[in-house]
Amino acid sequence: MKVQQIFTGCLAEMAYYIESNGEAAIIDPLRETQPYLDLAEKDGAKIKYIFLTHFHADFVSGQVDLAKKTGATIVFGPNANPNYEIHQGTDNEEFIIGNGKIKLLHTPGHTMESSSYLLIDEEEKMPCVFTGDCLFIGDVGRPDLAVKSDLSEADLAGHLFDSLRNKIMTLPDDIIIYPNHGAGSACGKNMSKETFDTLGNQKKTNYALREDMTKEEFIKEVTDGLTTPPQYFPNNVKMNKQVNTEFDEIVNKGTTPLSVKEFNDLANQDDVLVIDTRSKSAYTDEGTIPGAWYFGIDGGFAPWIGALIKDIDQKIIFLAEEGREKEVVTRLSRVGYDHSLGYLKRGLQAWIDAGLEVDKIGSISAEEFKENLTNNSMEVPMDVRKPNEFNSEHVLGVSSFPLDFIHATIDDLDKNRNYFVHCQSGYRSLIASSIMKSKGIKNVTDVRGGFKALKACGAKTSDFVCPSTM
């Protein structure tokens, strides 16, 4: 049987394509369907099943569109009740794929419908198991996303303990664990950068699979240190339970080329947000449209869109590098932002040619920042990394102003002061700076290269504290 892992870096998400003897299955597909159709066409296979491990919170999955195009059956585990037709599987139910089969293992805990899928080949061997958000490499799924009035975080963690011990850890040690996420996802707290591993090695290295761990210890360790999940998570869960606008329709509308006048008219509407998705260098060197928020397409684009744009129905128009307009709309839709109205035709140059104002974020080098900080000639230096990053190590004399909470804290800033902003390497600081500028803070300066560059040039830092010990 053929198994292909399809990794999407921006979301740290892994979907899977399984094929045997002309029949195929997809596990946890993204919004866009074409990649899966192309794989099946290449193999001369028909997509028979679309398996979902759970209702995802960090992206909108594409099972409904894919089922419409292929006739495939959508399969969820027990307790799933979406607003579209599915086959609700039962624990240990088997599904034939060519010469092999996939067995559903109900593994609640991350959510109550969470299920894993065990691959059984034509020789009745079990080469791998697809664990969704039940078991990651180095971690397990967070148990706080499906809390209800009758189900606490601790209750879910207890279910997860039982699922791991009674379903996953009883499998052969040489079986390959294929999770739904890797490092960078907010669905866990300690995920490895590796995207698969053997169960035997995870038993040795994953804190949550420690052999002598009691259920009480598991609940405490799994729930300890959880940060607040991104605000868009509940919206994505809701969307994954319903039928949404078809992806092709979203792309067709979102990639509408707009003239300068059309773009400017929309930008001046209160319910429309302008975002700039170009490279960091283009944004800082060439400037941008006044009021635009920066979300570079080559950074952690989709998760930051979801974390910082509060309204999932926000109307969006954008600047993009030529040829990447469809990519922008696709990645917006992956996290449920389906209301893109179009992009500025000919980009910023068209805006400049029309004689319209361009805004710029100031910038200085790490060396300049260090010198000014040393000489006490810098007004308000701030670090917009996450609190745990700041607490682990930071430049002395710099205050913490996490980007994650900017909407809750930005009103505390004095619009008449000068702010010097840095993050780890320069992506998040531009997002923060752009939002600050859009809120009327005129004097914002980005520190090029961020904390990495500051440390490299010898800026004085706090003693390093390993995040896992804080």
Side-chain angles (χ1 to χ4, degrees), residues 45-76:
K46 177 178 174 57
I47 298 176
K48 185 178 182 182
Y49 291 110
I50 304 163
F51 294 104
L52 279 299
T53 55
H54 62 294
F55 292 118
H56 299 281
D58 60 313
F59 68 96
V60 180
S61 46
Q63 63 272 12
V64 175
D65 280 2
L66 189 57
K68 285 181 180 178
K69 292 183 177 182
T70 62
T73 299
I74 300 170
V75 179
F76 276 92

Side-chain angles (χ1 to χ4, degrees), residues 92 118 147 169 184 193 277 298 310 323 329 341 348 372 386 392 455:
N92 294 315
L118 176 65
V147 172
M169 293 177 69
K193 65 180 180 180
T277 69
D298 290 323
K310 293 182 178 180
V329 178
L341 305 179
L348 189 67
N372 291 340
K386 294 178 182 294
S392 177
K455 190 171 182 181

Side-chain angles (χ1 to χ4, degrees), residues 178-356:
Y178 280 128
N180 185 229
H181 290 293
S185 169
C187 292
K189 59 181 179 177
N190 192 42
M191 281 181 267
S192 169
K193 65 180 180 180
E194 305 301 328
T195 62
F196 63 91
D197 195 9
T198 63
L199 175 59
N201 193 52
Q202 281 301 292
K203 286 179 179 179
K204 297 175 184 176
T205 59
N206 190 323
Y207 76 97
L209 303 189
R210 197 172 69 240
E211 186 177 1
D212 61 352
M213 179 180 270
T214 66
K215 180 182 273 192
E216 290 71 25
E217 289 172 333
F218 178 90
I219 292 171
K220 183 179 185 304
E221 291 193 37
V222 167
T223 58
D224 185 47
L226 288 173
T227 57
T228 303
Q231 61 90 26
Y232 74 102
F233 272 26
N235 292 320
N236 279 193
V237 171
K238 181 179 178 181
M239 291 181 72
N240 283 323
K241 293 181 178 181
Q242 66 188 30
V243 178
N244 303 297
T245 304
E246 290 189 9
F247 173 75
D248 294 342
E249 182 181 336
I250 293 166
V251 170
N252 288 338
K253 183 177 181 180
T255 53
T256 300
L258 301 170
S259 69
V260 172
K261 183 181 185 308
E262 291 170 325
F263 194 93
N264 195 25
D265 286 347
L266 286 169
N268 285 317
Q269 295 181 13
D270 292 339
D271 61 345
V272 176
L273 176 67
V274 181
I275 66 172
D276 190 332
T277 69
R278 297 171 301 150
S279 67
K280 290 190 289 186
S281 60
Y283 178 77
T284 55
D285 295 347
E286 300 170 13
T288 190
I289 291 170
W293 291 10
Y294 177 76
F295 293 99
I297 195 68
D298 290 323
F301 178 79
W304 281 115
I305 288 283
L308 297 175
I309 300 180
K310 293 182 178 180
D311 184 1
I312 198 78
D313 296 321
Q314 175 68 58
K315 296 175 184 176
I316 293 171
I317 55 176
F318 61 92
L319 283 174
E321 295 165 2
E322 186 176 358
R324 303 188 74 178
E325 297 86 3
K326 181 178 179 181
E327 181 183 357
V328 170
V329 178
T330 296
R331 291 171 69 175
L332 284 169
S333 74
R334 285 176 181 166
V335 285
Y337 291 80
D338 293 352
H339 299 281
S340 174
L341 305 179
Y343 66 94
L344 180 58
K345 187 178 180 181
R346 292 184 51 241
L348 189 67
Q349 190 58 52
W351 188 267
I352 294 171
D353 291 346
L356 295 174

